[in-house]
Amino acid sequence: GAGVSQSPRYKVAKRGQDVALRCDPISGHVSLFWYQQALGQGPEFLTYFQNEAQLDKSGLPSDRFFAERPEGSVSTLKIQRTQQEDSAVYLCASSLGRQQETQYFGPGTRLLVL
Amino acid sequence: RKEVEQDPGPFNVPEGATVAFNCTYSNSASQSFFWYRQDCRKEPKLLMSVYSSGNEDGRFTAQLNRASQYISLLIRDSKLSDSATYLCVVTEVRGGKLIFGQGTELSVKP
C-alpha cells in the first residue's frame, strides 16, 4: 500500500517568504506528527495531531510556524516569514494511534532558505 | 543536557566486525524505546523495539537497562549495507512523540 507522502520534496525560499509543506499520511492513520531535522542532528518534534485535533504543539519553534489537519487526513505545515535558521528537513510521520506506536515516516521536505 | 544522548561517531569498521552503540536517556519515566536506522538523505525507519529482557533480530541485538537509563545496540558480522546512521529513540507516552538522539554514523568498509 501507499506510504506517507510529502510535497514538495525540495523547496528553496528567499528569506521572508512564506512556505507551505504538505503531508499525506497512510490512509486510516489517526496520529500524525511533524518533525524538524537539522543537518547532522536527529529529528526534533514539532507538533502532533490526533485526527483533526492538534493535541501538542509544544515543539513549534516560534509563532511563525503553524500546522493544520482540518479533515483529519492531509496536514499542512506553514512557515511564515522564513529565516535562514528554518533551513532543515521537515519530516511527517503517521501511526494508527490507539497506542500503536510504530510511526511511518515520509521522505521529508528539504527546505533551504537563502 | 539533551534528553537522549549518543556518541555521534563516525564508527568506521571492516566488514564482518562486531560494533556496539550506546545511548543514555534522562527521563526515568520514559515508556518505550527503539532503534531507528536512517540512510543518507532518506527518512528514518524502525529497526527494532528495545525491551528490558533484551531482544534479537538476526545479527542485531538490543538491550535496555532501566536502572541505568541505558540502551544498546549490537551489530554482529557487519555488512556493507549496514552503513547508515543509527538513531536511539524514546517516548514518554505510549504512542506519543518520538524523542531522538543525535544519531551514530556507521561506515562499514570492505
Side-chain angles (χ1 to χ4, degrees):
Chain A
V4 178
S5 61
Q6 292 186 246
S7 61
R9 292 292 311 279
Y10 303 91
K11 177 69 179 178
V12 178
K14 292 182 180 178
R15 194 161 49 118
Q17 187 178 348
D18 297 349
V19 298
L21 313 180
R22 177 186 167 109
C23 172
D24 281 85
I26 294 172
S27 178
H29 277 197
V30 168
S31 298
L32 185 146
F33 300 82
W34 284 98
Y35 297 88
Q36 179 191 59
Q37 187 171 23
L39 192 64
Q41 301 297 316
E44 294 200 357
F45 169 77
L46 293 176
T47 188
Y48 160 57
F49 291 86
Q50 187 174 86
N51 295 306
E52 69 279 4
Q54 188 174 22
L55 298 186
D56 187 351
K57 54 181 181 180
S58 62
L60 296 176
S62 78
D63 59 8
R64 296 186 295 104
F65 287 71
F66 172 77
E68 61 182 4
R69 193 186 185 197
E71 296 177 1
S73 54
V74 170
S75 178
T76 304
L77 176 67
K78 298 179 180 178
I79 309 174
Q80 297 178 320
R81 304 182 303 283
T82 51
Q83 303 294 314
Q84 286 186 317
E85 61 263 29
D86 300 335
S87 297
V89 177
Y90 291 85
L91 294 160
C92 175
S94 70
S95 73
L96 279 170
R98 305 178 194 91
Q99 298 205 340
Q100 208 290 346
E101 295 197 275
T102 302
Q103 293 187 23
Y104 299 88
F105 282 82
T109 294
R110 194 170 297 269
L111 173 65
L112 176 63
V113 182
L114 301 176
Chain B
R1 183 186 172 195
K2 288 182 69 71
E3 293 180 76
V4 180
E5 297 208 41
Q6 297 180 247
D7 181 343
F11 283 50
N12 296 302
V13 303
E15 267 187 296
T18 295
V19 60
F21 301 138
N22 304 315
C23 165
T24 57
Y25 60 95
S26 60
N27 186 349
S28 60
S30 294
Q31 292 287 313
S32 303
F33 309 88
F34 310 94
W35 285 100
Y36 272 70
R37 170 191 169 131
Q38 187 171 28
D39 292 287
C40 188
R41 301 178 76 85
K42 299 285 189 180
E43 70 272 23
K45 292 185 178 176
L46 179 64
L47 179 66
M48 58 199 304
S49 300
V50 190
Y51 306 109
S52 297
S53 55
N55 49 306
E56 187 174 311
D57 182 2
R59 298 181 293 108
F60 298 81
T61 301
Q63 292 277 355
L64 167 65
N65 184 322
R66 280 191 180 267
S68 302
Q69 296 177 211
Y70 173 92
I71 306 164
S72 66
L73 177 68
L74 185 75
I75 306 175
R76 292 181 300 278
D77 188 24
S78 53
K79 312 291 185 189
L80 296 176
S81 58
D82 294 335
S83 297
T85 295
Y86 290 83
L87 295 157
C88 179
V89 185
V90 307
T91 66
E92 295 173 345
V93 174
R94 279 187 60 82
K97 66 183 181 185
L98 302 178
I99 303 168
F100 288 84
Q102 178 182 3
T104 299
E105 184 182 346
L106 172 66
S107 180
V108 182
K109 305 291 189 185

